[in-house]
Amino acid sequence: MTEPQSIIYQNLVNYNNGRGGRFMDIGARANPEETKIRKLYECGWTGVLVQGDSEIMAGIRAVYGNENRVQFLQYDISEDGNMNMSKLLSQYGNDID
């Protein structure tokens, strides 16, 4: 880990007096190497993982297991679909820092 990465990591761990924060990952991925959100999770943050593809969502659930700090939402986000960003944020965004 480089020095700037170490500083960022410490800020994430210490955010909100060590209580972490909340995240929302639209288009979540199962592979921790493909997402920056995983680092927030590892620092104690909680959040919402959104993915429309059922196969990818199954992989995400396998990675996170029954972790109660993560909420899984299977939605395709689009302006003309059943869920768009406005609806998503109005339903789940109040819990996001």
Side-chain angles (χ1 to χ4, degrees), residues 33-93:
E33 300 298 318
E34 295 178 3
T35 178
K36 306 278 189 255
I37 294 297
R38 182 68 185 191
K39 187 58 74 178
L40 295 175
Y41 168 79
E42 292 170 357
C43 290
W45 290 43
T46 61
V48 179
L49 301 174
V50 183
Q51 175 52 254
D53 184 285
S54 60
E55 289 183 26
I56 295 173
M57 181 55 84
I60 293 167
R61 288 179 185 275
V63 168
Y64 287 91
N66 293 325
E67 176 58 58
N68 64 2
R69 290 186 294 130
V70 178
Q71 183 176 2
F72 306 97
L73 300 177
Q74 188 169 337
Y75 288 120
D76 283 319
I77 308 297
S78 66
E79 285 306 313
D80 56 351
N82 67 338
M83 181 61 74
N84 61 42
M85 286 301 295
S86 295
K87 288 180 189 176
L88 183 71
L89 291 173
S90 70
Q91 287 181 323
Y92 302 99

